[in-house]
Amino acid sequence: RQYYLRQGPRYGEIAVELIPKDERHRQSHAIALAVRPALAAVARRFGASLQVVEVPPGPPVLAPIVAEIFGPSYAMQRRLALRIRKVFDTTPDIVDTDDSVDARSRRLVIDVERQKASLLGVSQAQITRTLAMALSGFDATYVHIGRERELIPVRLELSPADQARMTRLLALRVRAADGALVPLSELVRVHRSVWDGAIYHKDLMPVTYVMGDMAGPLDSPLYGMFDISARLRRLTVAGQPLEQRFISVPSNPSRFSLKWSGEWQITYETFRDMGIAYSVGLALIYLLIVAQFGSYMVPLIIMAPIPLTIIGVLPGHALLGDQFTATSMIGMIALAGIIVRNSILLVDFIDGAVRAGFPIEEAVVRAGAIRAKPIALTAVAAMLGAMFILPDPIFNGLAVSLLFGIFVSTLLTLIVIPVLYYAYLKRKEARALRARGAGS
């Protein structure tokens, strides 16, 4: 989750190791959901931002819900990020909210009185070295003690308590040109300022981030993202509605806009690529069946049960209360090959029976009766294999797709394929009779 952005003295991490799974009755995700409210209350008391992250923490994204804010003015982007952060905070079931806007922290700037220092013969480098030695330490010399093989450095630095006191730092003295020791308080001027916040860039454009997570009954970041997106439609910036993009980055850098990222980006790219792979797979299956049967119509009949898998996959996820994930899509791609195999068995048997002299009606009935048992046994074997991965939190979607998809599509294949192929053969026979009658 891009931990390089969370390195610094103001960040901390506490790792909690759970006891083995067989010694507890709750999964790690349920435990994380349970402890989050209590930990968030502690963080609020101290004005801190807290995130409860499971290991492994999921996709390599900054957070499950990320709003990337672009615009012509970075100061305005920061203010807009704080406004959007309030929408995150007030949206139900959105937790672990944070942003990339650094809090205004004070700092003390020491300016050297160059004219006065030059009159006393003190260089700016002397003053800088003295302050660096007091704050960061300086190895003044090295000593060799006893039987030690390595030289031991003698380090000079102020104690942490004195480092925090400006009066103690300014009491340090440097030697002037005439040999006198002059305190730093006579050579420098101290004024208060604030630290400049970090400026983040993405695709060479300045960007600010607002982040969050979803912990409601649906427990899916996409639902929370769309809820926030609907509320942001009423938000205006510089007299214009805030432009929201879900797929591409903003094309107009002179206008304030928001690009949704996080797990949504991973989900979109995953399902897009799998959809392309699914389409390519169907095209290859079609070409292979065309080469096998020498017909352009028969492959369409054989592949007709593929859409029927959806009748089993989607209700199956709803019945078990599971989410449709990337592994569910993998299961649907696998189902295409399994169902086509069953269809080929039926069509090939019908063709063989017709060539053997059986009437079309009898050939179709015999195919359904004889091939039903091996098809059913194969389906049951695949379903039993899928049951072993059903409890797995990652491959659960694959198991649900295989279980319900194979069950429903197998039953429908035994009905749909014989009926469709019977209608195709009867029309083909009728066209052949008409052609012979026209020739005679």
Side-chain angles (χ1 to χ4, degrees):
R1 280 190 171 178
Q2 304 179 21
Y3 287 110
Y4 68 92
L5 294 176
R6 301 186 181 94
Q7 296 176 356
R10 63 183 183 275
Y11 294 102
E13 180 178 346
I14 299 177
V16 179
E17 185 175 354
L18 302 179
I19 60 177
K21 291 188 294 184
D22 54 353
E23 298 180 19
R24 49 185 165 91
H25 65 279
R26 288 190 297 176
Q27 293 184 349
S28 60
H29 184 63
I31 296 175
L33 292 176
V35 302
R36 178 181 276 115
L39 295 177
V42 175
R44 279 194 298 270
R45 290 209 310 268
F46 295 94
S49 296
L50 179 137
Q51 293 183 359
V52 178
V53 180
E54 302 172 53
V55 179
V61 294
L62 192 61
I65 304 175
V66 179
E68 300 173 351
I69 304 164
F70 300 89
S73 168
Y74 204 73
M76 283 287 293
Q77 285 177 240
R78 286 172 171 163
R79 289 195 288 270
L80 179 58
L82 296 178
R83 293 174 61 188
I84 295 176
R85 168 78 180 273
K86 293 180 180 179
V87 178
F88 272 64
D89 292 333
T90 56
T91 301
D93 301 328
I94 299 298
V95 296
D96 294 353
T97 58
D98 198 5
D99 56 63
S100 64
V101 180
D102 294 332
R104 294 177 63 85
S105 55
R106 294 176 298 174
R107 65 170 178 169
L108 298 176
V109 180
I110 299 177
D111 293 329
V112 178
E113 299 267 8
R114 297 187 180 184
Q115 184 175 4
K116 191 173 184 179
S118 64
L119 291 175
L120 294 174
V122 179
S123 66
Q124 186 174 349
Q126 283 181 266
I127 299 173
T128 304
R129 282 197 302 268
T130 302
L131 289 172
M133 178 188 67
L135 296 174
S136 304
F138 172 74
D139 294 337
T141 186
Y142 295 85
V143 296
H144 190 225
I145 300 177
R147 297 183 179 181
E148 294 288 340
R149 299 182 60 183
E150 303 291 340
L151 294 176
I152 299 176
V154 177
R155 191 166 187 80
L156 300 179
E157 65 179 314
L158 290 179
S159 65
D162 288 337
Q163 289 177 353
R165 297 167 56 189
M166 181 57 64
T167 56
R168 185 69 182 89
L169 290 173
L170 298 182
L172 296 174
R173 300 184 179 189
V174 293
R175 190 172 298 277
D178 59 359
L181 294 176
V182 182
L184 293 180
S185 58
E186 297 184 8
L187 302 174
V188 299
R189 184 178 68 256
V190 181
H191 67 272
R192 297 181 181 276
S193 181
V194 295
W195 285 102
D196 295 329
I199 298 178
Y200 298 91
H201 288 79
K202 182 176 181 180
D203 297 333
L204 303 180
M205 293 189 294
V207 61
T208 54
Y209 299 100
V210 181
M211 298 151 282
D213 198 354
M214 183 80 172
L218 296 176
D219 197 21
S220 174
L222 300 187
Y223 294 103
M225 185 197 76
F226 287 119
D227 287 343
I228 298 173
S229 175
R231 299 182 63 185
L232 290 178
R233 290 172 187 161
R234 299 186 295 270
L235 184 65
T236 58
V237 185
Q240 295 181 340
L242 178 65
E243 179 186 4
Q244 299 187 55
R245 288 177 172 260
F246 293 89
I247 298 175
S248 60
V249 296
S251 57
N252 186 3
S254 62
R255 179 181 177 182
F256 289 98
S257 55
L258 183 150
K259 165 68 172 62
W260 289 105
S261 184
E263 288 193 15
W264 153 253
Q265 187 71 27
I266 301 295
T267 301
Y268 163 73
E269 293 178 355
T270 299
F271 281 91
R272 178 200 63 192
D273 296 342
M274 286 193 175
I276 296 173
Y278 194 32
S279 303
V280 173
L282 294 179
L284 292 176
I285 290 173
Y286 178 81
L287 294 176
L288 288 173
I289 301 175
V290 168
Q292 174 65 29
F293 289 90
S295 171
Y296 293 107
M297 188 64 187
V298 173
L300 297 178
I301 297 174
I302 291 175
M303 298 173 66
I306 292 178
L308 301 179
T309 58
I310 300 176
I311 301 176
V313 171
L314 297 184
H317 281 80
L319 183 63
L320 297 183
D322 294 318
Q323 299 175 6
F324 189 86
T325 62
T327 57
S328 304
M329 191 70 179
I330 295 174
M332 289 188 61
I333 297 174
L335 281 173
I338 296 173
I339 300 308
V340 164
R341 181 205 57 197
N342 295 337
S343 302
I344 291 175
L345 289 175
L346 290 171
V347 170
D348 185 65
F349 189 92
I350 294 173
D351 285 343
V354 171
R355 286 195 299 268
F358 288 94
I360 296 176
E361 293 82 356
E362 186 176 351
V364 170
V365 173
R366 284 172 59 85
I370 296 175
R371 289 298 189 188
K373 184 175 181 180
I375 289 176
L377 290 176
T378 306
V380 171
M383 292 170 63
L384 290 176
M387 291 183 65
F388 288 98
I389 59 175
L390 190 60
D392 190 276
I394 296 177
F395 293 100
N396 172 264
L398 173 62
V400 174
S401 294
L402 292 178
L403 277 172
F404 289 90
I406 291 175
F407 176 73
V408 173
S409 59
T410 299
L411 292 179
L412 295 177
T413 298
L414 293 173
I415 300 173
V416 172
I417 291 298
V419 170
L420 289 179
Y421 201 54
Y422 171 78
Y424 167 74
L425 292 179
K426 293 299 288 184
R427 290 185 61 183
K428 185 178 179 181
E429 184 182 54
R431 285 197 303 269
L433 290 175
R434 287 197 301 269
R436 285 198 298 267
S440 60

